Amino acid sequence: MDIKQLLDNNRYWSESMRARDPEFFSRLANQQKPEFLWVGCSDSRVPANEVIGLMPGEVFVHRNVANMVVATDMNFLSVLQFAVDVLKVKQVIVCGHYGCGGVRAALSHNELGLIDNWLRAIKALYHQSREQFEGLDEEARVDLLCELNVQRQVRNVCHTTIVQNAWKRNQQLSVHGWIYGLKDGLVNDLGVTINSAQQLDDTFLYQD
C-alpha cells in the first residue's frame, strides 16, 4: 500500500460518513465535548475509538509506548490538564494491552536505544513485584506486567495536582484501569477505579 492509497481511503471514508449523516462533519467542526480521556499505548493494533465503539469527537486521546504516565512528561500533562480543566472530561481511562511490545522490551536485557530510558520505570515495577512472577512462562510474565503497569499508571494519573485539584473543587472525575486483548478484541476492567483523593496514600496528597 502506498501513500496515495491512504488519501483515497480518506476520501472514501469522508463520503461514507456524509452519506450516513450529512451533518456529521459540521457538528464535529463546531465543538468537541468528550466525556472520556483515553490514555493508551501507541500500538497500531489498539485504536481507541474503535475498541470502545465511539465516534470521532467522543473521546480525547493520548497515546505513548506502553501507556505510561510520567510525572515529567509535559506532553501527557498538557493533555491531561486540557482534558480535565477545559474539556471537563468525567472519565479517564488508562488502557494497556496484553502482549505489549514495550512491556516485553522492559523485561528483556536488550539495549534498544532511547526507549530504554522511557521503559525504565516498568523495569523497576517488575523488580518491585518480582515475587509475583515466580513460576510463570514468558508470555504469562509479559501479560501480568502489562496488568501491573496499568494499575501503576492509574495511580500516577491520580497523583498529579491536575486530578487532585479537580477533586478539591468537587469536579466529577474517575480514573479507570483497563486492558485490551489482542486475541479477542475484548477490554477487561482491572477493578482499580479511583474517584477521590481518599483512595490515595497520604504520601501523594497535596494540601491547600
Side-chain angles (χ1 to χ4, degrees), residues 161 163-171 197 205-208:
T161 55
V163 168
Q164 292 190 31
N165 285 337
W167 285 331
K168 286 177 184 176
R169 59 179 179 261
N170 296 317
Q171 183 173 332
L205 296 179
Y206 293 93
Q207 304 299 327
D208 294 326

Side-chain angles (χ1 to χ4, degrees), residues 31-162:
Q31 191 174 9
Q32 63 167 341
K33 291 184 178 179
E35 293 189 11
F36 309 95
L37 167 62
W38 174 281
V39 180
C41 182
S42 298
D43 193 301
S44 60
R45 298 169 294 178
V46 193
N49 287 70
E50 294 182 33
V51 163
I52 50 179
L54 294 182
M55 296 294 289
E58 295 182 314
V59 57
F60 201 55
V61 177
H62 175 82
R63 296 170 69 175
N64 61 52
V65 175
N67 43 272
M68 297 289 287
V69 175
V70 179
T72 54
D73 180 4
M74 295 303 295
N75 186 345
F76 166 75
L77 292 175
S78 297
V79 169
L80 181 65
Q81 188 270 327
F82 189 80
V84 172
D85 295 349
V86 180
L87 296 177
K88 306 294 185 184
V89 300
K90 296 179 181 178
Q91 318 284 344
V92 177
I93 300 163
V94 179
C95 188
H97 65 95
Y98 292 119
C100 178
V103 171
R104 189 182 301 277
L107 274 173
S108 78
H109 298 284
N110 298 324
E111 181 181 345
L112 300 175
L114 184 63
I115 191 67
D116 297 327
N117 300 282
W118 182 254
L119 299 175
R120 190 171 299 160
I122 302 180
K123 281 185 175 289
L125 177 60
Y126 173 71
H127 178 73
Q128 294 162 8
S129 312
R130 58 190 180 279
E131 69 282 352
Q132 298 186 45
F133 294 83
E134 293 180 3
L136 299 180
D137 62 25
E138 180 181 351
E139 291 306 311
R141 287 166 62 229
V142 170
D143 287 347
L144 175 57
L145 189 54
C146 289
E147 293 181 350
L148 295 178
N149 183 49
V150 168
Q151 294 170 14
R152 174 63 57 86
Q153 305 318 318
V154 165
R155 303 196 79 79
N156 286 347
V157 171
C158 298
H159 293 163
T160 65
T161 55
I162 297 166

